[in-house]
Amino acid sequence: MYFFLDKDMASAAWKEHDWSDVTPVEIEIVPSVCNIRHPAEYKEMVELFAAIVDTDEASKRVLDLSTAIIMKNPAHYSAWAVRRRCIFPLLDETASFEATLGAETDLLNALLRKIPKIYQTWNHRERVFDKVVAHVSMEDPASFIDAELDFIIDTVLTVDAKNYHAWSYLHHIVSTQQMWSRLSAVASDLIAMDVRNNSAWSFMMEATKHTGTARDDLVDALEYAATMARTAPNNECPWTFIRGLIDIDQTLQSHPATVGLLAEYGAVDGEGLTAVPALALRVGLLQDRTELGPEDKAEGKGLCQTLAKMDPIHSGYWTNVEGEFE
Amino acid sequence: MSVSLELEKHRRFIVGFSGSSDSLQHSLSDYLRINGIYWSLCGLSLMDPEYIRSDFNEEEIISFTLACRNGTGGFGGFPGFDASLVYTLSAIQVLALYDALDRIEDVEKTVSWIASLQHENGSFQGDHHFPDVDTRFVYCAVASLSILDRLDAIDCSKTISYIVSCQNWDGGFGLKPGRESHAAQAFCCVGAVSILKSVDSIDKDSLVFWLSTRQDTNTGGLNGRPDKDPDVCYSWWVVSTLAILDSLSFIDVPRLVTFVRRAQDVVDGGIADRPEHMADIYHTFFGLAGIALLDETGGLKAIDPTYALPVDVVARILG
């Protein structure tokens, strides 16, 4: 059961408490440096906060104060830390567990919908997740985990499919809960929407490594990447992914999926299409060889010279690498 | 077409930015104020080391910086905030710029606090509340202790091992092992191993490929990860890393310099994340820092790519 956040009530609750025993710490204006003139209400909040931050107080009034500060300034990392010292004991008590978790989830959802790229909010969410997921009061952890995954995938990543914080939190859930098999589909769904989504490819590689690197699995991954490479041959992601798979198992280099793809897009003799990432992969595979014969070196030099012309912004790179094939 | 570097306007922008007190956004940036001070002072130092004394009140800034320190020995972003490694490094860098490191009383407390944040595997958490690790914290810890000449307080070989474990299959580095590669994390990891004299412990070739391919064909700018928009701040994160790896020739320097120069606000000063956008103090500093590394005609002082401080300041600290 979750509660809906009444924003006006949440941001004003701190004022209802008695603060007469607390001496606010006045913020000194230092004109040449940090001429901050806080709005009056925010100033009042943060000066009270400065008075309690180094104490152990974890009362309702401190919790409400942290709410008010966070709602004004979600990047106020100290307010989040103080908040945790208030809510963690509440999460430890069976009687207050549900209500506390519900309120926290609503606050986090509201803030992240509004400002989805803020480190402190995601950090707090991850800390709360760790605290609650194995809790004895958690009747149905699967349902809680599903709700978190839905929030990341359906609310945040649908708006910005490359949100680094969201992917990092997803990675955290999946790795701590051993859910790699189930979640690898998230990556492929997002790649289907945008083959250029590097975050999704990065996650896909992690999923591949964690779900098993038996040859059959790697071949499936290779064939998948080759299919996606064909949809946008000049996009680097699938090609880098293929190189990563070959790093795991060198025999994939001579697999028909690799050979066929390189024949299709890695030609320099006018026989096929030429995509820069395909030629770059060919160079990379040569670089990875422990020994280079004269033909390998000639091939490497030729590829680098072609790339320096086809990919002029990176010609400095290709010219330098050409030197490795002397 | 050559775009001139409007240093005098950037100087006025930096000085004026601190005084622009009335906006709510400015007020809400309290949590990282010490970062902002470092960006401002270091940016000015690259123009003329004397500006940090002529354009700002040195004693006020030193007092403010010390007021950001709390009972743990570490520094927060603003007085009344918890200590965190991210703000501790900026505070130490500010004091280093003013040659005022000796103003830190009982510096051993700061050293011990930083050392206490190291985990068994060599990683670092950011503050004393929760064991959340991030490669940014590794750099902040190592750079801070190096400037304080107390690297002996931590297990350096474990730190190196941890960083090596953060290098990904694509050659880049993420915030933790296995996380998506990101240019800022590359700087943090390579900067840390550089300070620890172990750059050879990472796979340089694959990282240089990853870094070089951050450069965008259309704009000449650099992005932070594949297929993202170019941003001036990566003219620091990517370029400094390449400089540490002695690989600046792997990118198209003239086109990158043009991109950064075009991101200037040539009317009011300051540099934005990309051309036509609004300038801010963060991008102003990192744009200037990138130019200092890349462009001898820029008229800026030399910057150390590992410490993100003027070369003269680093020589004074490490000398």
Side-chain angles (χ1 to χ4, degrees):
Chain A
M1 181 173 109
Y2 292 106
F3 300 80
F4 291 101
L5 184 71
D6 180 325
K7 289 177 187 143
D8 292 334
M9 202 166 79
S11 56
W14 70 283
K15 288 190 260 197
E16 305 304 313
H17 297 280
D18 177 10
W19 292 96
S20 57
D21 59 311
V22 178
T23 309
V25 175
E26 211 183 308
I27 294 173
E28 200 192 319
I29 306 293
V30 185
S32 76
V33 167
C34 61
N35 207 350
I36 284 180
R37 272 197 268 273
H38 290 311
E41 193 182 71
Y42 185 71
K43 183 171 189 286
E44 210 184 324
M45 287 188 236
V46 295
E47 288 183 342
L48 274 175
F49 182 83
I52 54 89
V53 69
D54 285 334
T55 68
D56 290 331
E57 190 180 338
S59 61
K60 182 76 171 53
R61 69 177 182 178
V62 168
L63 176 59
D64 287 342
L65 181 63
S66 77
T67 306
I69 293 174
I70 283 160
M71 287 182 71
K72 266 279 186 297
N73 190 359
H76 196 299
Y77 65 94
S78 282
W80 285 110
V82 162
R83 185 175 185 79
R84 284 190 287 276
R85 84 172 183 230
C86 296
I87 65 166
F88 276 32
L90 294 172
L91 291 169
D92 281 333
E93 294 294 321
T94 308
S96 49
F97 177 81
E98 279 277 355
T100 307
L101 178 58
E104 210 57 22
T105 303
D106 283 336
L107 176 69
L108 287 165
N109 287 354
L111 288 172
L112 288 172
R113 277 198 185 94
K114 203 169 147 190
I115 311 175
K117 283 193 196 178
I118 193 153
Y119 175 78
Q120 292 80 2
T121 313
W122 284 105
N123 181 42
H124 181 78
R125 193 168 193 133
E126 199 172 294
R127 302 284 69 74
V128 170
F129 178 88
D130 287 344
K131 175 76 176 168
V132 306
V133 73
H135 203 278
V136 294
S137 302
M138 176 65 76
E139 280 176 23
D140 186 6
S143 160
F144 167 68
I145 294 169
D146 279 348
E148 288 300 286
L149 294 172
D150 283 345
F151 180 76
I152 297 168
I153 297 162
D154 296 339
T155 301
V156 181
L157 290 179
T158 49
V159 172
D160 176 3
K162 299 179 187 180
N163 183 320
Y164 194 89
H165 306 280
W167 281 104
S168 184
Y169 181 46
L170 179 65
H171 193 294
H172 179 78
I173 294 177
V174 167
S175 56
T176 56
Q177 303 305 312
Q178 280 97 49
M179 298 174 77
W180 286 104
S181 307
R182 190 180 138 185
L183 271 300
S184 58
V186 174
S188 52
D189 287 346
L190 283 165
I191 290 170
M193 281 165 37
D194 177 7
V195 70
R196 293 170 175 80
N197 188 334
N198 188 68
S199 306
W201 282 104
S202 182
F203 194 84
M204 178 73 88
M205 179 56 83
E206 280 293 289
T208 304
K209 286 182 172 177
H210 283 92
T211 50
T213 49
R215 194 156 198 280
D216 286 350
D217 297 321
L218 293 178
V219 167
D220 285 345
L222 173 65
E223 288 172 343
Y224 167 78
T227 305
M228 298 319 293
R230 288 185 172 90
T231 66
N234 284 304
N235 175 241
E236 57 192 302
C237 291
W239 300 93
T240 314
F241 183 83
I242 290 170
R243 188 165 174 194
L245 292 175
I246 294 171
D247 270 346
I248 299 172
D249 182 342
Q250 290 292 319
T251 67
L252 295 177
Q253 210 172 148
S254 50
H255 188 279
T258 308
V259 173
L261 187 67
L262 284 175
E264 225 173 300
Y265 293 102
V268 291
D269 51 10
E271 293 281 319
L273 301 164
T274 315
V276 164
L279 299 187
L281 177 57
R282 286 181 61 190
V283 172
L285 294 175
L286 283 169
Q287 282 179 298
D288 290 343
R289 288 195 193 162
T290 44
E291 272 177 40
L292 291 168
E295 279 179 16
D296 297 330
K297 288 184 183 178
E299 186 186 342
K301 279 172 68 78
L303 285 168
C304 287
Q305 285 163 8
T306 303
L307 279 161
K309 290 189 209 118
M310 281 188 71
D311 185 23
I313 192 76
H314 302 119
S315 59
Y317 179 81
W318 297 119
T319 305
N320 271 292
V321 170
E322 186 189 339
E324 291 174 29
F325 293 108
E326 295 297 332
Chain B
M1 182 188 85
S2 157
V3 180
S4 62
L5 198 59
E6 301 283 348
L7 291 182
E8 201 45 44
K9 292 195 172 132
H10 298 325
R11 178 187 176 190
R12 283 204 294 274
F13 176 84
I14 290 171
V15 175
F17 194 85
S18 304
S20 61
S21 56
D22 292 333
S23 74
L24 180 63
Q25 194 180 29
H26 193 77
S27 141
L28 298 182
S29 66
D30 50 358
Y31 72 99
L32 53 57
R33 184 47 36 132
I34 195 64
N35 290 155
I37 292 170
Y38 158 68
W39 297 329
S40 302
L41 296 180
C42 199
L44 286 181
S45 295
L46 294 177
M47 297 181 208
D48 185 327
E50 274 315 299
Y51 286 172
I52 63 172
R53 292 188 167 88
S54 61
D55 296 1
F56 282 106
N57 185 314
E58 175 179 355
E59 192 48 44
E60 274 182 359
I61 295 180
I62 292 172
S63 298
F64 174 83
T65 304
L66 294 172
C68 290
R69 191 171 181 229
N70 70 8
T72 62
F75 294 75
F78 195 86
F81 277 70
D82 290 302
S84 158
L85 277 172
V86 170
Y87 309 110
T88 298
L89 174 60
S90 284
I92 289 172
Q93 286 168 314
V94 167
L95 294 171
L97 283 164
Y98 279 125
D99 196 10
L101 287 167
D102 57 357
R103 296 284 296 271
I104 305 175
E105 282 175 21
D106 189 12
V107 69
E108 200 49 42
K109 204 164 182 194
T110 304
V111 170
S112 302
W113 174 78
I114 296 173
S116 73
L117 299 172
Q118 186 172 33
H119 286 204
E120 195 47 46
N121 66 358
S123 64
F124 282 83
Q125 62 190 66
D127 58 52
H128 55 281
H129 289 298
F130 283 95
D132 184 42
V133 302
D134 185 326
T135 44
R136 291 180 302 149
F137 304 145
V138 177
Y139 174 77
C140 291
V142 168
S144 295
L145 289 174
S146 173
I147 293 171
L148 297 176
D149 196 18
R150 289 301 314 279
L151 279 171
D152 61 290
I154 57 168
D155 189 326
C156 295
S157 81
K158 279 189 180 169
T159 300
I160 294 164
S161 303
Y162 179 72
I163 289 171
V164 169
S165 77
C166 292
Q167 187 161 22
N168 286 326
W169 52 282
D170 57 5
F173 288 83
L175 71 86
K176 285 180 191 153
R179 302 296 168 95
E180 186 184 5
S181 299
H182 189 285
Q185 318 294 149
F187 166 75
C188 291
C189 291
V190 173
V193 289
S194 172
I195 292 171
L196 298 175
K197 313 260 184 280
S198 290
V199 175
D200 290 343
S201 57
I202 61 152
D203 179 350
K204 178 181 161 182
D205 287 345
S206 62
L207 177 59
V208 169
F209 178 65
W210 190 87
L211 290 167
S212 305
T213 47
R214 295 307 97 245
Q215 193 160 25
D216 169 53
T217 302
N218 293 327
T219 61
L222 297 165
N223 61 26
R225 38 186 176 136
D227 207 59
K228 294 283 283 181
D229 288 334
D231 183 320
V232 159
C233 68
Y234 298 111
S235 68
W236 174 260
W237 304 122
V238 172
V239 171
S240 57
T241 313
L242 285 170
I244 294 168
L245 299 173
D246 199 22
S247 301
L248 279 177
S249 63
F250 284 66
I251 56 167
D252 188 327
V253 168
R255 285 204 65 198
L256 176 58
V257 169
T258 302
F259 175 80
V260 177
R261 284 178 177 238
R262 288 207 179 120
Q264 296 177 97
D265 181 336
V266 297
V267 174
D268 296 321
I271 303 177
D273 59 344
R274 60 187 70 105
E276 317 285 317
H277 282 199
M278 201 159 79
D280 63 61
I281 192 69
Y282 170 86
H283 289 96
T284 300
F285 168 61
F286 286 110
L288 290 172
I291 298 266
L293 274 179
L294 295 167
D295 182 5
E296 283 167 9
T297 71
L300 292 168
K301 303 278 176 260
I303 189 167
D304 183 293
T306 300
Y307 290 91
L309 287 168
V311 158
D312 293 344
V313 173
V314 174
R316 185 190 349 113
I317 297 165
L318 301 182

